[in-house]
Amino acid sequence: MVAAHRGGGVSNPENTLKAFKWCVNTAKVEILEFDLYLTKDEQLVINHDKSINRTSDVEVLTNSSEKYYIADHTLDELKNFNLGYNFKKGEEYPYRDLVKVDDVNRKEVLAENDLCIVTLDELFGTFYEENKELLFIIEIKDKEERGKQATKLFYETLANKYPDYLNRVVASSFNKEVEDSFRENYPSLYRGASVQSTISFVATEYLKVNIFDQSDFTCLQIPQEQYGINLVSKSIVARAHRRGMAVQYWTINDENDMRTLIELGCDAIMTDDPELLIKVLEEYK
């Protein structure tokens, strides 16, 4: 299966509604992958980093290189920035001139072009009626108490407004407290493996002491290599499959690596370049 990592940042500005719409409506990917952060006014927004500096024009508007952290600002404040500003296609930056610093209708123009920060609610609402078959890989990035609050809002949004997506989502966190919160409070949700859970699963496989592994996640989401250990292994995939777990590799942007993993028998590949992965998959038909 094709999982668009951050909405496929090669073809469109990552984590924007423009990117997600392209993935679903044009590329026809099966899975959208993205991360969530909690804003100052407790709205769940989609972004990979703690701040919006890397992708947006925040430093131009604020005339400062200080980090503009999501946790320190409201949704309304965050909506003011162009998340396509630093997107590069070839040698061009196609969205840099979309709005000027002093444009009074910045938010409206950015919203019309799907280039402002997007909430979880907005993304689900965009696809819910017409795309019930969509799948999602979602990571909560906040830690500790903020992470727990984010998981609560995440589940409530799903259960109360988009119940048909409840069994279409695999949720995860690299933070153990947040992972435990998912497990204890929302046991019906499918969960991805945290780093700690992945290390335990892989270590017991390599040491041949599988009997001691207590993994209870749904999807084994792993890179090709971790801490110098090669994780592209037929035995890892086979063992996960015996346990009823899907194996999903990230983040794969090289076509030869894609072929290796396809032939290994993994279930999904997360990529910034879904167009390339779709092309490679066509060869196997």
Side-chain angles (χ1 to χ4, degrees):
M1 303 179 84
V2 180
H5 183 251
R6 308 184 199 177
V10 169
S11 300
N12 291 279
E14 67 177 66
N15 288 321
T16 62
L17 207 49
K18 179 181 283 293
F20 293 122
K21 284 180 177 178
W22 178 87
C23 286
V24 174
N25 300 326
T26 302
K28 310 293 184 185
V29 305
E30 294 105 330
I31 308 171
L32 298 180
E33 187 277 345
F34 53 85
D35 309 306
L36 293 175
Y37 282 98
L38 204 59
T39 65
K40 184 179 180 180
D41 53 342
E42 297 200 342
Q43 301 292 314
L44 284 173
V45 295
I46 297 170
N47 206 59
H48 181 267
D49 306 344
K50 292 180 183 179
S51 73
I52 59 170
N53 292 57
R54 180 174 57 84
T55 58
S56 79
D57 57 352
V58 64
E59 294 180 9
V60 177
L61 265 71
T62 62
N63 197 28
S64 169
S65 60
E66 287 189 13
K67 292 294 186 184
Y68 200 87
Y69 291 110
I70 291 171
D72 295 338
H73 296 89
T74 66
L75 177 62
D76 186 62
E77 290 169 334
L78 291 162
K79 287 280 188 184
N80 201 42
F81 301 102
N82 178 5
L83 267 64
Y85 186 80
N86 286 323
F87 174 74
K88 194 173 183 181
K89 196 78 169 174
E91 296 302 314
E92 305 293 324
Y93 291 91
Y95 305 111
R96 280 206 167 171
D97 296 326
L98 183 65
V99 285
K100 301 290 189 294
V101 172
D102 55 354
D103 284 352
V104 294
N105 62 337
R106 280 182 60 87
K107 289 178 184 174
E108 290 81 2
V109 173
L110 292 172
E112 287 169 5
N113 287 273
D114 294 326
L115 287 173
C116 55
I117 202 163
V118 61
T119 66
L120 177 70
D121 192 21
E122 288 168 339
L123 183 129
F124 280 163
T126 297
F127 299 113
Y128 190 64
E129 294 302 326
E130 302 296 328
N131 302 97
K132 293 290 179 69
E133 77 288 352
L134 259 181
L135 295 165
F136 303 90
I137 296 171
I138 301 174
E139 181 186 341
I140 302 290
K141 280 292 191 75
D142 288 300
K143 299 177 181 179
E144 299 167 347
E145 290 307 313
R146 284 186 66 83
K148 291 177 185 179
Q149 177 63 9
T151 62
K152 179 176 181 290
L153 292 174
F154 169 72
Y155 182 80
E156 288 175 352
T157 300
L158 264 175
N160 297 334
K161 298 186 70 173
Y162 308 101
D164 290 344
Y165 277 165
L166 271 170
N167 66 344
R168 310 294 295 175
V169 168
V170 171
S172 66
S173 170
F174 281 8
N175 180 262
K176 189 177 185 306
E177 285 187 38
V178 179
E179 182 188 30
D180 290 343
S181 178
F182 269 123
R183 181 186 292 108
E184 294 162 11
N185 299 313
Y186 316 105
S188 62
L189 276 179
Y190 296 133
R191 285 185 297 103
S194 66
V195 172
Q196 185 172 336
S197 298
T198 299
I199 291 171
S200 172
F201 185 90
V202 171
T204 53
E205 170 60 28
Y206 278 125
L207 295 173
K208 303 304 178 188
V209 287
N210 298 351
I211 192 171
F212 297 110
D213 178 55
Q214 303 298 316
S215 299
D216 60 350
F217 46 81
T218 307
C219 297
L220 181 65
Q221 297 162 333
I222 54 176
Q224 293 174 288
E225 183 181 303
Q226 187 87 37
Y227 305 125
I229 301 171
N230 178 26
L231 301 179
V232 180
S233 163
K234 192 157 275 193
S235 66
I236 290 175
V237 173
R239 180 177 163 219
H241 284 171
R242 286 196 299 273
R243 296 279 297 274
M245 299 170 180
V247 181
Q248 305 169 332
Y249 278 91
W250 55 268
T251 302
I252 316 301
N253 296 323
D254 176 82
E255 56 185 296
N256 290 324
D257 290 340
M258 291 173 179
R259 291 188 187 95
T260 297
L261 294 172
I262 290 165
E263 291 165 17
L264 192 71
C266 76
D267 301 287
I269 291 175
M270 300 184 217
T271 178
D272 296 312
D273 195 350
E275 202 165 17
L276 176 62
L277 179 53
I278 289 166
K279 177 185 158 198
V280 170
L281 283 166
E282 287 292 325
E283 299 173 12
Y284 288 86
K285 291 184 180 179

